[in-house]
Amino acid sequence: MTFTLAIIGRPNVGKSTLFNRLVGKRLALVDDTPGVTRDLREGAARLGDLRFRVIDTAGLELVTDDSLQGRMRRLTERAIGMADACLFMIDARAGVTPSDEILADLLRRRDVPVILAANKAEGRAGEAGAVEAWALGLGEPLPLSAEHGEGMAELHARLAPLV
Ligand code: GDP
Ligand code: MG
């Protein structure tokens, strides 16, 4: 069985940027269940010597504000159900938002391992947000920059014991 990592987080935190970095051109649309390929993107990830399946919760950006939170919960629950571990991403520059708290709540109720990533943390801009993320109760925040590729060695160190 292939280890599956689900990237969880509210819209615009950088989930797809990390997904694309991990998957490169190895994007595989494996599941042809209607709805799955549209809302959950799946790919073959590579990080150093680690090989695993990664799921991106996509499609949240397309919905209206009032339907967003319910949809975000449902889609996130589905991704968690498919995952051996979750990477929960917040935007370190924005700090912790109410949507982040909702998702953190979902994750704390499950016994899936969670890596809490504080993204957009390049150039020290995310330091305050990364410290704030401790309050989510999901362990030590991992500062990342999905766009600039910073924090990938630390992400590898977190994933290696799980994969
Ligand atoms: P998603 O909605 O969570 O999938 O987020 P996206 O991957 O689409 O990224 C949302 C926006 O954040 C885009 O404009 C990205 O270029 C930007 N972004 C993603 N990662 C980083 C990062 O590490 N640093 C900065 N500064 N911006 C980022
Ligand atoms: Mg996305």
Side-chain angles (χ1 to χ4, degrees):
M1 271 295 279
T2 314
F3 178 89
T4 300
L5 178 74
I7 306 175
I8 305 294
R10 66 175 177 82
N12 219 37
V13 294
K15 297 181 299 299
S16 298
T17 305
L18 179 63
F19 177 91
N20 291 336
R21 177 171 288 280
L22 291 171
V23 169
K25 299 210 184 303
R26 295 177 300 279
L27 179 64
L29 296 178
V30 174
D31 201 330
D32 48 18
T33 310
V36 170
T37 49
R38 194 185 55 219
D39 295 335
L40 300 171
R41 280 203 306 158
E42 175 181 321
R46 189 182 286 184
L47 183 61
D49 59 332
L50 303 177
R51 303 285 182 274
F52 52 95
R53 185 167 79 125
V54 63
I55 292 169
D56 178 19
T57 46
L60 292 173
E61 295 76 6
L62 305 172
V63 297
T64 59
D65 277 352
D66 46 307
S67 66
L68 177 61
Q69 288 202 340
R71 206 172 128 70
M72 187 176 70
R73 278 178 208 260
R74 285 193 299 278
L75 196 54
T76 299
E77 292 276 20
R78 244 168 71 203
I80 296 171
M82 296 167 74
D84 297 299
C86 293
L87 185 142
F88 175 43
M89 184 178 278
I90 69 153
D91 177 338
R93 294 175 185 229
V96 173
T97 71
S99 294
D100 296 328
E101 279 165 357
I102 288 170
L103 294 179
D105 230 57
L106 283 183
L107 286 163
R108 281 196 310 267
R109 287 166 205 268
R110 311 281 290 250
D111 24 285
V112 67
V114 177
I115 298 167
L116 171 59
N119 191 42
K120 310 193 186 182
E122 72 273 5
R124 305 189 59 170
E127 272 180 24
V131 170
E132 206 179 308
W134 276 100
L136 293 170
L138 290 166
E140 182 176 0
L142 171 69
L144 272 191
S145 174
E147 196 158 273
H148 299 272
E150 295 175 19
M152 293 300 130
E154 292 79 5
L155 177 59
H156 179 281
R158 296 277 195 106
L159 279 169
L162 301 172
V163 173

